[in-house]
Amino acid sequence: MRLFLDVFAQNDWANVERLRGAVERCVLAATGDAELGAAVAIIVAELGENAVKYGFWSGSTQTFRVKLTAEGESIRVEVECPWSADRSIADLLDTVARLRAHPTARE
């Protein structure tokens, strides 16, 4: 099997389902295996949902990228979205502060 998809999708929840369906059909067309198509499509949908939910959409980039590469027996799925180092650090510090606010096992 050999398959390569590289799609930039608009930051829209509806596009996650559209990509899921497209990937399912492409994998089915390339392999003839409906079960494999469904499994890969679920992975793409889950990663796409994470991109829409956690992407940094306040900047100029309003798309996320889905890359699917299949060669022989291996399949690689990549999903990229914009992110903010400042926001990631702030989220980490907020989590650490919440953890520190709770008693430890010794207390």
Side-chain angles (χ1 to χ4, degrees), residues 16-17 19-25 27 34-50 77 79:
V16 173
E17 176 57 26
L19 286 168
R20 188 207 57 75
V23 166
E24 183 172 13
R25 289 186 293 279
V27 173
E35 191 173 304
L36 178 63
V40 174
I42 288 170
I43 292 166
V44 167
E46 290 295 325
L47 294 174
E49 287 176 3
N50 287 344
V77 176
V79 176

Side-chain angles (χ1 to χ4, degrees), residues 87-100:
R87 191 179 102 191
S88 296
I89 291 169
D91 289 348
L92 175 62
L93 293 174
D94 288 346
T95 301
V96 169
R98 280 196 316 272
L99 292 172
R100 286 186 175 154

Side-chain angles (χ1 to χ4, degrees), residues 39-105:
V40 174
I42 288 170
I43 292 166
V44 167
E46 290 295 325
L47 294 174
E49 287 176 3
N50 287 344
V52 171
K53 184 175 182 179
Y54 298 112
F56 179 68
W57 303 112
S58 297
S60 61
T61 303
Q62 294 297 309
T63 59
F64 63 99
R65 183 180 192 179
V66 175
K67 288 173 54 176
L68 174 66
T69 308
E71 188 84 42
E73 295 294 314
S74 70
I75 299 174
R76 180 180 180 139
V77 176
E78 299 174 61
V79 176
E80 302 171 2
C81 64
W83 66 284
S84 166
D86 292 338
R87 191 179 102 191
S88 296
I89 291 169
D91 289 348
L92 175 62
L93 293 174
D94 288 346
T95 301
V96 169
R98 280 196 316 272
L99 292 172
R100 286 186 175 154
H102 294 288
T104 65

